[in-house]
Amino acid sequence: TSNSPEAHHRAPPLAVPAPLLADSPPFLDAGDRQVGVLLTLAQPRLVVFANLLAPEECDALIAAAAPRMARSLTVATQTGGDEITDDRTSDGLFFPRGASPLIQRIEGRQVLHYGPGAEYKPHYDYFDPAEPGTPTIVRRGGQRVGTLVMYLNTPEKGGGTIFPDVQVEVAPQRGNAVFFSYERPDPSTRTLHGGAPVIAGDKWIATKWLREREFI
Ligand code: PD2
Ligand code: ZN
């Protein structure tokens, strides 16, 4: 290491989950289904999947969640608690792990609903190391290192997942999903992303956030 003031002393990268795509397969074998690989990006690390969920699985997740939805909260980085913000205007529900055979299959997912106009403004899914609440938050399972957003329906218009740093927008289509990972909690990962406003119809997604360790 150098003593120069310019030297960057970055933390070593965290281990991130990653789909097995080294030999560029068009499909991944997910046991009971073939999941299509539609697009991969290196920076940010991002993969768009087709057919990750069957249409019936999408409908069943929506039906199981719909009666119990409540306004989505956001982790309050100052305190480590939860808060309502105008940045995130969806309704949501967390399924505990193993809540039903369907959930066991599509394990540990959160279902979100965005009505017309609802959005999730651009944000990072990792917890900012500079915020005072972060040590409390990461005591449970460590940092977030990856996100899987699964689209449960196809909104009429709007509702894409946007990555402003690279000007990418993923179209929300039922059964498809976008995965992205971030090996350090830092904007250099270019994983700033948001849920664009729903312009017509509504939007249902299931989000799975992946941590360094098991989230117990
Ligand atoms: O609804 C989305 O597309 C979206 C966008 C950004 C969801 C999340 N983040 C999330 O649930 O973290
Ligand atoms: Zn997010």
Side-chain angles (χ1 to χ4, degrees), residues 83-99:
E83 63 187 8
I84 287 184
T85 86
D86 286 343
D87 285 355
R88 192 184 197 199
T89 50
S90 56
D91 291 332
L93 166 79
F94 280 98
F95 286 115
R97 265 198 292 268

Side-chain angles (χ1 to χ4, degrees), residues 8-212:
H8 284 209
H9 296 280
R10 294 209 297 175
L14 304 171
V16 297
L20 296 167
L21 300 173
D23 54 353
S24 299
F27 296 99
L28 293 177
D29 186 356
D32 57 341
R33 53 200 302 100
Q34 296 287 107
V35 172
V37 182
L38 293 184
L39 178 137
T40 69
L41 200 62
Q43 271 252 27
R45 184 63 187 139
L46 180 155
V47 186
V48 179
F49 293 110
N51 194 37
L52 191 107
L53 296 178
E56 312 78 62
E57 290 177 326
C58 294
D59 294 347
L61 264 183
I62 293 173
R68 296 189 284 143
M69 302 289 280
R71 175 67 186 260
S72 297
L73 303 174
T74 303
V75 175
T77 47
Q78 290 291 318
T79 61
D82 294 320
E83 63 187 8
I84 287 184
T85 86
D86 286 343
D87 285 355
R88 192 184 197 199
T89 50
S90 56
D91 291 332
L93 166 79
F94 280 98
F95 286 115
R97 265 198 292 268
S100 75
L102 173 71
I103 299 302
Q104 283 169 23
R105 209 160 72 236
I106 320 164
E107 186 274 302
R109 267 156 279 197
Q110 184 200 196
V111 175
L112 295 180
H113 175 248
Y114 299 75
E119 64 179 327
Y120 195 172
K121 295 219 173 84
H123 60 276
Y124 299 97
D125 281 351
Y126 58 74
F127 303 107
D128 184 345
E131 294 286 350
T134 293
T136 308
I137 296 164
V138 302
R139 214 165 287 149
R140 217 179 147 191
Q143 261 289 359
R144 286 187 185 157
V145 291
T147 304
L148 179 69
V149 175
M150 295 162 271
Y151 304 106
L152 302 183
N153 78 330
T154 307
E156 233 170 279
K157 274 185 192 160
T161 303
I162 53 171
F163 294 81
D165 289 348
V166 286
Q167 298 184 42
V168 160
E169 176 164 351
V170 179
Q173 294 192 8
R174 182 168 77 161
N176 289 6
V178 58
F179 169 81
F180 52 97
S181 60
Y182 20 99
E183 59 184 12
R184 44 175 60 84
D186 192 274
S188 65
T189 56
R190 300 200 207 172
T191 53
L192 182 68
H193 66 281
V198 174
I199 296 167
D202 56 0
K203 172 185 177 187
W204 289 87
I205 62 162
T207 302
K208 171 86 184 173
W209 293 290
L210 303 155
R211 299 245 186 171
E212 289 177 83

